[in-house]
Amino acid sequence: MTDIKDFFIASNTVRNAPDYDSNVLSTLVQTVEAFARVTYQSVYLIDYYRQEFLYVSDNPLFLCGHTAKEVKELGYSFYLEHVSEEEQKMLVELNSSGFKFFDTFDNVDKYQCSMSYHFHLKSKTTKSKLINHQLTPILLTDEGKIWIGMCVVSLSSHKTVGHVEFHKKGNLNYWKYSFEEHRWKECDGISLKEEELEVLRLSAAGLTMTEIANRMCRSLDSIKTYKRHAFDKLGVTNITEAISRATLNKLF
């Protein structure tokens, strides 16, 4: 059975107490809280020194029926309560491999890194839901350990768990984690033509294929071709997945 201590290994344990400047942390929380007010996504902050949640937004997607205050107080116990044992093991392995991989970058580059993965959250009152969970550092210690990390949660566009990706801003290529081989693999970055991107942007805005054709002054067949090529390059089967993957790869 998974224990809270399984989530904290040498690679993500902050041993030297960082400077808890109340003004810095207060400003940080207020900034993240402001971001949470204008996004549909759930947001929370992890303090890796105190091994607790520093802030949890009140977006219900992540809360599983709790209040934000209750989830904050639960901290990592929240995962043990609302993630299946099988997927807890996946998260523990990912936690270990992800932070070890993170440590291969220098301190400047670490601030440009983010990790994305998918797992189920189960609630006592509703059906379990597959979410996309993204993690990125906010504050590092002098030794280069993540002190404060920000997590952003949204509904997954996939149908299965996993799909672990590690991205570094400015890098066209990215890395995928293989649970079968227990290692990271570098993958070629995705590049879309401007017409293909425009079809995705207008689709995200709610326009139909006919409306997109009129807006772009192209035939309907051309728009369908741009869309099909975009789907093929992104490796997706529907517009929701396409928009999600294009956003993750910073194509918009």
Side-chain angles (χ1 to χ4, degrees):
M1 182 175 291
T2 306
D3 190 272
I4 291 176
K5 67 177 184 295
D6 296 331
F7 288 100
F8 294 97
I9 56 174
S11 296
N12 74 340
T13 298
V14 178
R15 304 195 182 281
N16 298 320
D19 180 15
Y20 274 87
D21 185 318
S22 59
N23 290 328
V24 171
L25 290 184
S26 177
T27 300
L28 172 60
V29 169
Q30 288 175 8
T31 301
V32 174
E33 191 173 27
F35 168 67
R37 287 197 299 270
V38 297
T39 180
Y40 68 93
Q41 299 164 310
S42 295
V43 186
Y44 67 105
L45 297 175
I46 299 177
D47 182 334
Y48 284 96
Y49 176 67
R50 292 179 173 168
Q51 299 184 356
E52 62 185 19
F53 292 171
L54 177 64
Y55 165 80
V56 178
S57 72
D58 59 5
N59 185 312
L61 173 63
F62 179 67
L63 301 181
C64 293
H66 295 285
T67 65
K69 181 181 179 182
E70 288 170 342
V71 173
K72 183 176 180 295
E73 291 172 349
L74 280 170
Y76 269 73
S77 295
F78 173 83
Y79 301 128
L80 303 185
E81 182 176 337
H82 293 288
V83 179
S84 69
E85 287 190 27
E86 182 180 353
E87 292 186 24
Q88 286 175 26
K89 294 176 183 177
M90 180 194 76
L91 294 182
V92 168
E93 177 177 344
L94 179 56
N95 192 65
S96 174
S97 60
F99 276 90
K100 288 177 182 176
F101 189 62
F102 177 82
D103 272 345
T104 63
F105 296 86
D106 63 36
N107 286 2
V108 173
D109 285 343
K110 285 176 180 176
Y111 278 114
Q112 309 300 317
C113 294
S114 63
M115 186 165 61
S116 172
Y117 45 99
H118 303 254
F119 61 94
H120 288 98
L121 286 177
K122 58 181 182 178
S123 172
K124 294 179 181 179
T125 58
T126 60
K127 184 179 178 181
S128 67
K129 51 199 171 188
L130 186 62
I131 59 137
N132 171 233
H133 189 280
Q134 298 185 60
L135 168 67
T136 190
I138 295 292
L139 292 176
L140 299 177
T141 66
D142 292 339
E143 294 79 23
K145 299 290 186 182
I146 296 182
W147 168 20
I148 306 294
M150 183 172 77
C151 301
V152 179
V153 178
S154 58
L155 285 174
S156 172
S157 61
H158 288 279
K159 296 179 177 63
T160 56
V161 301
H163 306 283
V164 184
E165 296 185 7
F166 194 103
H167 291 259
K168 177 181 172 296
K169 184 179 179 181
N171 270 32
L172 182 60
N173 288 359
Y174 64 100
W175 296 265
K176 280 187 174 182
Y177 186 72
S178 168
F179 286 102
E180 291 75 23
E181 300 178 30
H182 307 287
R183 68 184 183 92
W184 293 93
K185 297 179 178 180
E186 187 169 4
C187 302
D188 291 336
I190 300 169
S191 178
L192 298 182
K193 294 180 179 179
E194 182 57 35
E195 293 87 352
E196 294 162 355
L197 282 172
E198 186 66 7
V199 169
L200 296 186
R201 292 191 193 103
L202 295 175
S203 296
L207 275 67
T208 66
M209 289 294 99
T210 300
E211 290 170 335
I212 293 173
N214 292 335
R215 179 75 65 88
M216 293 178 61
C217 299
R218 297 286 196 278
S219 69
L220 184 57
D221 284 343
S222 294
I223 298 303
K224 290 179 179 179
T225 298
Y226 295 145
K227 181 181 177 181
R228 185 176 67 253
H229 287 172
F231 280 19
D232 289 343
K233 292 177 182 179
L234 293 168
V236 300
T237 58
N238 61 63
I239 192 63
T240 301
E241 291 178 348
I243 293 168
S244 175
R245 185 147 181 77
T247 302
L248 180 63
N249 283 272
K250 307 297 186 292
L251 298 178
F252 287 153

